[in-house]
Amino acid sequence: MAKYLVKITIPSIQDTIVRSRKLKDLTGGSELIPRIMQSGLKSLANDGKVEFIIPTADVVKEDSLNITNVAYLAIEGEKEQVTEKVKRMKEEMLKKLNTLVDTVKHRIPDKEFSIYENLIRYQIKNAINIVWAISEIKDNNIVKAKNDVDIAVANAKASIEPDDKFIEGFNLIQKQKNQYSAFENYQDFMEKAYQINPELIRGAYLCEVCGKRVILGATKNNFKSSITEKDEEDRLCAFCYAKRYYHGKHKKSVVDVALKKYLAEHGNRIQEIFKKHGKIDLLEEDKQNIYIEVLENNGENPDLIKSLNELYREIGKPPVYYAIVVMDGDSMGEKISKAFEENKIKIITKKLSEFSKEVKGIVEKYSGMSVYSGGDDLLALFPLKTVLEGYKEIVEKFKEYMKDTGYNFTASAGLVISHYKIPLNYVLQEARSAESKAKKVDGKDAVYIKYIKHSFSSAEAPIKNDHLQLFEELISFLSDEDFPFGFIYQLQELLLPYLPKTENEEPVKKLTKYLIEKKPYKRKDEFAKFMLDTKELFDFKEPEKIINTLKVAKFIASGV
């Protein structure tokens, strides 16, 4: 009996996940994709002629979200039988996607749902694409079959044609054949069509999250009108609205992440103050009310503000920064292909699955929130105070799990620290960009760290994963109470003639040592030796990188 290799995937999922203005957009999107993949794969879970390769059968059968957006499976049978099974799998995935229609229906009035039902169904159905391919495994050559399905899927993704039956205007409009035939020419059409059929040329604003689909609720008299604005400040399309409420009433925000470690240590004392002043509802309603500037801007009770100020002088101000980590295995495509060739793919898949299951526990250990974890991919949020330790343990655990596979597995990441008021979609884009930069570091296996202040000023620096311990040592120097204020900016001024790079490192070294020795800093000799000897962090032929590394380390050290 013939055997076929099947590849099925949901392309561009990072784009679907990352297009998020709020944390609930991000968490909703990151759970939706694995759920859709899971629903399709589970439809074949009890089929004895199906062999799951990626993910493994045990991952498919359990209620796990550790499923990537790509699956490979081998199916025995005639081509028509295999094709029918794959089509059934896709149908189950589309059914799961279609449940988002109910999410929208339950949140808007029946009358409005009835008006926009066609548009809602169309936007949701076309928001996610499912692509698949099959190839016969001849002479037990699974490698050739894999190459065939990879090429077929890549071609399918590149050649998807837009729907030629409908137009998204302020509602869903069916295209009409020969719609210009009643007019003398196109100019005549543009001049007269609006009076005859205004929806043909009047559209609506695009969704403020995805920027791809029109907003839900526009009319021919008001193309800015939005149903979603009634309970959201954003004007959304049906898919992004459903994604936002996929978890139901998810109230967490990035502020919750920024404050989690701090509140675990000091939350009871802060709550007592709010209770004392009869304002506990204020704190429970929105965690931002923990910040003095928010209370002052809202004209809250001066006595409450005074009490909080007194406490904060003792325990430190609440942190306003959090971090996003986006991690991805290095050269995974090459390693997966090689594993297929050497018949080690099941070992690799099993190890990736085991690692993925452990990630959530590590993230929670460091007061973080795991948003997405599938194989070698990770997206997680942390408080500033714990992000480095959390990331370090995750990347070490990844290498530990994969070390016995016979391949040198490494991972690279973007780590972006941001003020909670910076738009989330911007921070996510910066995190993805930082991850890409990390993969361009020589030898990869690195993390690109960036901070973004409320003013949008920033600095960034690449750190090899194996050098994170040294980077933490640097942070410990910059955390000293007597570390000289303004040292980094003074060094930057001194090194201006040599920025960004220089062929002669000696003047840079001498000026660095000179400035350190001038400062009344207890550990200055130790610090000077550390800077001059730690080539893993400081290349004195690239003084601009030195300055940026110091800025990032100082920012983390300040614990703002």
Side-chain angles (χ1 to χ4, degrees):
M1 188 178 290
K3 196 173 192 179
Y4 289 83
L5 183 69
V6 177
K7 180 178 183 179
I8 188 162
T9 181
I10 300 174
S12 307
I13 65 150
Q14 289 299 339
D15 187 55
T16 302
I17 293 170
V18 167
R19 288 180 184 272
S20 303
R21 285 178 70 120
K22 294 188 174 183
L23 188 56
K24 54 188 176 181
D25 299 335
L26 186 61
T27 55
S30 64
E31 182 172 329
L32 174 63
I33 302 300
R35 289 290 182 207
I36 291 172
M37 287 295 294
Q38 182 187 59
S39 64
L41 296 171
K42 273 196 170 184
S43 68
L44 299 181
N46 297 317
D47 190 325
K49 294 184 178 180
V50 175
E51 177 190 0
F52 290 98
I53 302 171
I54 300 176
T56 56
D58 59 332
V59 171
V60 173
K61 288 178 180 178
E62 65 189 21
D63 189 29
S64 169
L65 292 179
N66 301 320
I67 294 178
T68 65
N69 66 313
V70 180
Y72 289 91
L73 45 158
I75 305 179
E76 285 185 9
E78 298 303 320
K79 187 175 182 179
E80 293 77 13
Q81 295 172 323
V82 174
T83 301
E84 282 305 310
K85 287 180 181 181
V86 179
K87 285 180 177 178
R88 191 168 78 239
M89 183 164 53
K90 182 175 177 178
E91 283 171 12
E92 290 301 319
M93 294 167 76
L94 290 173
K95 278 183 193 175
K96 189 68 177 179
L97 174 62
N98 203 46
T99 61
L100 295 185
V101 173
D102 292 331
T103 304
V104 177
K105 186 176 183 179
H106 293 150
R107 294 200 62 84
I108 65 175
D110 291 343
K111 183 181 177 182
E112 290 180 321
F113 179 80
S114 177
I115 293 170
Y116 295 101
E117 182 176 358
N118 289 337
L119 179 62
I120 291 166
R121 292 186 182 279
Y122 178 82
Q123 287 186 337
I124 288 172
K125 179 184 174 184
N126 290 281
I128 287 175
N129 189 32
I130 300 168
V131 181
W132 61 272
I134 69 170
S135 178
E136 187 177 354
I137 304 171
K138 294 179 179 177
D139 301 322
N140 220 24
N141 190 347
I142 196 169
V143 176
K144 184 181 183 307
K146 180 184 180 294
N147 289 338
D148 290 343
V149 294
D150 286 346
I151 291 168
V153 165
N155 288 338
K157 287 193 290 186
S159 60
I160 295 166
E161 295 182 3
D163 194 314
D164 62 351
K165 296 178 183 176
F166 299 97
I167 302 169
E168 285 189 55
F170 60 80
N171 208 325
L172 193 64
I173 303 156
Q174 187 158 5
K175 291 183 183 177
Q176 300 171 17
K177 289 183 180 179
N178 303 318
Q179 61 189 31
Y180 303 130
S181 60
F183 305 95
E184 292 179 16
N185 51 42
Y186 182 72
Q187 184 177 350
D188 184 41
F189 164 75
M190 290 300 290
E191 289 173 356
K192 298 176 182 175
Y194 181 73
Q195 286 79 19
I196 299 169
N197 207 358
E199 63 266 27
L200 284 177
I201 59 173
R202 168 165 275 189
Y205 271 24
L206 292 178
C207 172
E208 292 176 348
V209 169
C210 69
K212 292 161 68 175
R213 293 171 287 272
V214 300
I215 59 174
L216 198 58
T219 68
K220 62 184 178 184
N221 297 318
N222 186 353
F223 54 87
K224 298 180 183 180
S225 175
S226 168
I227 296 170
T228 63
E229 274 190 311
K230 293 171 184 175
D231 56 359
E232 292 287 334
E233 64 268 26
D234 299 325
R235 290 175 287 200
L236 308 173
C237 68
F239 177 73
C240 290
Y241 188 54
K243 186 175 76 166
R244 179 167 289 186
Y245 286 99
Y246 189 65
H247 284 300
K249 293 186 177 179
H250 182 287
K251 291 186 177 180
K252 286 186 183 280
S253 70
V254 294
V255 173
D256 292 272
V257 178
L259 291 171
K260 191 170 182 182
K261 178 74 173 172
Y262 182 83
L263 289 177
E265 295 170 357
H266 309 296
N268 289 339
R269 296 181 69 184
I270 293 168
Q271 282 182 344
E272 285 303 315
I273 289 176
F274 276 88
K275 280 181 186 176
K276 179 183 173 184
H277 293 277
K279 292 286 185 176
I280 191 64
D281 290 347
L282 202 63
L283 184 62
E284 291 172 352
E285 174 184 305
D286 190 345
K287 288 290 194 303
Q288 287 190 49
N289 289 317
I290 201 173
Y291 300 120
I292 296 297
E293 61 271 24
V294 173
L295 295 172
E296 287 176 339
N297 289 340
N298 293 338
E300 286 297 337
N301 185 342
D303 292 333
L304 169 64
I305 294 170
K306 182 181 177 184
S307 298
L308 286 173
N309 265 323
E310 288 171 359
L311 178 62
Y312 294 163
R313 277 193 287 271
E314 177 191 339
I315 65 174
K317 290 182 179 180
V320 294
Y321 286 88
Y322 70 100
I324 290 181
V325 173
V326 179
M327 189 186 90
D328 182 45
D330 295 323
S331 307
M332 290 301 291
E334 293 174 21
K335 293 184 176 80
I336 292 296
S337 294
K338 199 168 182 183
F340 267 100
E341 288 176 21
E342 298 176 356
N343 200 25
K344 290 183 177 180
I345 189 61
K346 289 183 181 178
I347 298 169
I348 302 295
T349 306
K350 184 173 181 290
K351 290 292 183 183
L352 286 171
S353 174
E354 290 171 356
F355 163 72
S356 191
K357 288 175 187 177
E358 190 160 344
V359 164
K360 188 175 181 182
I362 298 172
V363 173
E364 289 175 353
K365 174 182 171 183
Y366 292 96
S367 304
M369 175 189 289
S370 178
V371 175
Y372 175 75
S373 173
D376 59 301
D377 289 338
L378 168 74
L379 197 163
L381 284 72
F382 291 89
L384 171 57
K385 191 174 181 180
T386 61
V387 63
L388 269 186
E389 284 298 314
Y391 169 70
K392 195 167 73 167
E393 185 166 333
I394 288 167
V395 80
E396 285 171 356
K397 192 64 70 174
F398 176 69
K399 291 180 181 179
E400 182 185 315
Y401 268 102
M402 307 307 292
K403 69 180 179 182
D404 296 328
T405 60
Y407 305 104
N408 180 30
F409 277 92
T410 60
S412 295
L415 191 164
V416 173
I417 301 158
S418 171
H419 192 281
Y420 77 89
K421 286 189 176 180
I422 301 290
L424 179 60
N425 53 351
Y426 176 80
V427 183
L428 286 164
Q429 287 169 9
E430 290 298 302
R432 296 287 295 167
S433 174
E435 180 202 19
S436 297
K437 290 175 183 177
K439 287 186 176 292
K440 291 174 184 173
V441 172
D442 188 31
K444 301 184 180 182
D445 193 15
V447 56
Y448 213 91
I449 306 175
K450 179 174 186 172
Y451 68 76
I452 309 169
K453 292 185 176 181
H454 190 201
S455 61
F456 280 87
S457 63
S458 63
E460 56 192 55
I463 309 292
K464 295 286 283 184
N465 288 325
D466 291 343
H467 303 158
L468 282 167
Q469 190 67 46
L470 292 170
F471 186 65
E472 287 179 323
E473 279 187 54
L474 173 61
I475 291 170
S476 75
F477 280 112
L478 304 185
S479 299
D480 289 340
E481 286 187 12
D482 66 331
F483 187 84
F485 179 78
F487 167 79
I488 298 168
Y489 291 96
Q490 289 169 5
L491 182 63
Q492 186 173 5
E493 289 293 319
L494 277 177
L495 300 182
L496 271 178
Y498 307 98
L499 299 179
K501 296 182 179 181
T502 179
E503 288 299 316
N504 187 2
E505 65 180 22
E506 287 309 312
V508 179
K509 283 185 173 181
K510 286 178 182 177
L511 286 169
T512 302
K513 187 178 180 184
Y514 161 77
L515 186 62
I516 294 171
E517 288 175 345
K518 273 189 66 179
K519 299 298 179 182
Y521 172 43
K522 288 178 185 175
R523 292 207 290 163
K524 65 182 177 184
D525 292 340
E526 192 181 338
F527 180 59
K529 187 176 187 310
F530 177 82
M531 276 202 69
L532 296 171
D533 293 349
T534 309
K535 294 177 182 178
E536 297 88 345
L537 295 183
F538 304 114
D539 179 354
F540 285 90
K541 287 186 177 180
E542 296 192 59
E544 187 169 75
K545 279 190 178 179
I546 292 174
I547 297 299
N548 283 332
T549 300
L550 288 168
K551 283 181 178 179
V552 171
K554 180 61 180 172
F555 186 85
I556 296 172
S558 67
V560 288

